[in-house]
Amino acid sequence: EMLGLPGDMGGKGSGDGLAAGLDGNPLAEALDAAARGITSGETVQDSDITVFDENDRPTTCIKYDTFATCRSFPPPMLNALAQAFPHPSQIQAFTWPLAEQGRDIIGIAATGSGKTLAFLLPAFADFYRNGHDCRRDGVGLLVMSPTRELAQQIEAEANRFGKPLGMWVVSMYGGA
């Protein structure tokens, strides 16, 4: 599934230098704009979010308004979330149900919106539910980051919410 955010993200003809060849695809334009740091400066309302099926058709989406609705999350994870936040963020509320269904997700959201936990926690819940043990089963999840700083931020959040489940998280980076 793809989570698309419509609206003017600086599309063609706006003089912002977006890559040509996006052919009016709103998701491609939003991804390109997000990669370039271009935003509309407007808050996305729930009614503006569209979920597309595998045939690129809009489909009905489920939203989790509370942590209690995250039925696949183990109690220690739910407790840690409830202590840290009042409710799921917008991107979490829309992506967690899709992840529980085993869907692939592309989500676009602002810095600080909860994207890291939106993709980490469904994987952690799956590992917990299936008894994944990295000593026996090897690495369970690889997260790639474009910068060392972001890798360290992801590691910190992963440890914060993985430790209650016995998850071991390590960040590796290199370069000049």
Side-chain angles (χ1 to χ4, degrees):
E1 301 283 342
M2 291 194 286
L3 183 63
L5 306 179
D8 180 14
M9 298 291 285
K12 291 182 203 169
S14 63
D16 59 13
L18 286 177
L22 298 178
D23 298 325
N25 180 326
L27 181 58
E29 288 179 7
L31 287 169
D32 187 65
R36 295 170 184 270
I38 301 166
T39 65
S40 65
E42 298 175 15
T43 302
V44 175
Q45 301 300 312
D46 287 354
S47 60
D48 293 332
I49 295 174
T50 305
V51 176
F52 297 93
D53 67 14
E54 59 276 357
N55 296 315
D56 210 21
R57 292 178 301 207
T59 187
T60 305
C61 58
I62 300 168
K63 180 183 175 200
Y64 288 170
D65 291 316
T66 67
F67 294 123
T69 55
C70 304
R71 295 175 306 280
S72 70
F73 287 6
M77 182 185 290
L78 292 173
N79 291 338
L81 284 167
Q83 290 175 8
F85 306 107
H87 52 77
S89 71
Q90 186 181 48
I91 191 154
Q92 294 161 356
F94 282 97
T95 59
W96 287 343
L98 295 169
E100 283 183 351
Q101 297 170 23
R103 303 290 186 162
D104 292 333
I105 303 165
I106 296 173
I108 304 166
T111 300
S113 62
K115 291 183 300 291
T116 300
L117 296 181
F119 72 81
L120 282 179
L121 298 191
F124 285 2
D126 185 65
F127 297 157
Y128 186 84
R129 184 175 45 257
N130 293 310
H132 182 88
D133 183 338
C134 65
R135 294 168 293 197
R136 179 189 66 231
D137 305 321
V139 173
L141 179 66
L142 172 66
V143 177
M144 297 183 69
S145 163
T147 66
R148 176 180 14 213
E149 178 187 54
L150 183 55
Q152 292 170 326
Q153 291 172 4
I154 292 168
E155 178 186 25
E157 285 300 286
N159 278 317
R160 180 178 177 194
F161 292 94
K163 290 222 188 256
L165 302 176
M167 302 289 163
W168 298 357
V169 179
V170 65
S171 177
M172 299 187 305
Y173 42 84

